[in-house]
Amino acid sequence: QVQLVESGGGLVQAGGSLRLSCAASGLTFRQYGMGWFRQAPGKEREFVAAMSWSDSSTLYADSVKGRFTISRNNAKSTVYLQMNNLTPEDTAVYYCAAEYGLGLHIRISEYDYWGQGTQVTVST
């Protein structure tokens, strides 16, 4: 049974930082591209960042480029999202997702497995 478990969310002031983690089990992690998405209240789920399984190539949404960094540790079957210079517009539930294959996809439909999400709230 595949499980993706996010952690690291919380309440932070604008300008602060958070590091999200997503621990995967039940799959061969190094064969999966990994992504982060987020969903704010009343809005659709949107792409944030993705990382391939092969050469660690990355892809970011324009709204987070230069502030967020995705990384992975295949030995720990974990993907991370370092979020710096947070703004209230970053407030959302953040989800990690796994896609069997190269990865680097921005569409929700490309991903095979999803975590339950972790809340990130940025106050002014």
Side-chain angles (χ1 to χ4, degrees), residues 10-68:
L11 175 64
V12 64
Q13 287 189 328
S17 298
L18 282 174
R19 188 194 195 204
L20 305 183
S21 300
C22 172
S25 61
L27 52 74
T28 305
F29 186 73
R30 64 181 181 274
Q31 295 181 334
Y32 284 77
M34 299 299 295
W36 286 97
F37 290 74
R38 67 186 181 185
Q39 187 166 17
K43 295 187 177 181
E44 294 185 351
R45 192 171 299 190
E46 64 175 5
F47 169 77
V48 174
M51 186 171 220
S52 72
W53 67 266
S54 59
D55 61 356
S56 296
S57 297
T58 57
L59 186 65
Y60 296 94
D62 288 343
S63 58
V64 306
K65 203 172 293 183
R67 300 187 299 122
F68 290 12

Side-chain angles (χ1 to χ4, degrees), residues 5 10 15-16 26 41 48 62-63 73-74 78 84 88 108 117-121:
V5 180
V48 174
D62 288 343
S63 58
N73 185 325
N74 286 343
T78 300
N84 298 328
I108 293 172
T118 185
Q119 176 70 48
V120 171
T121 303

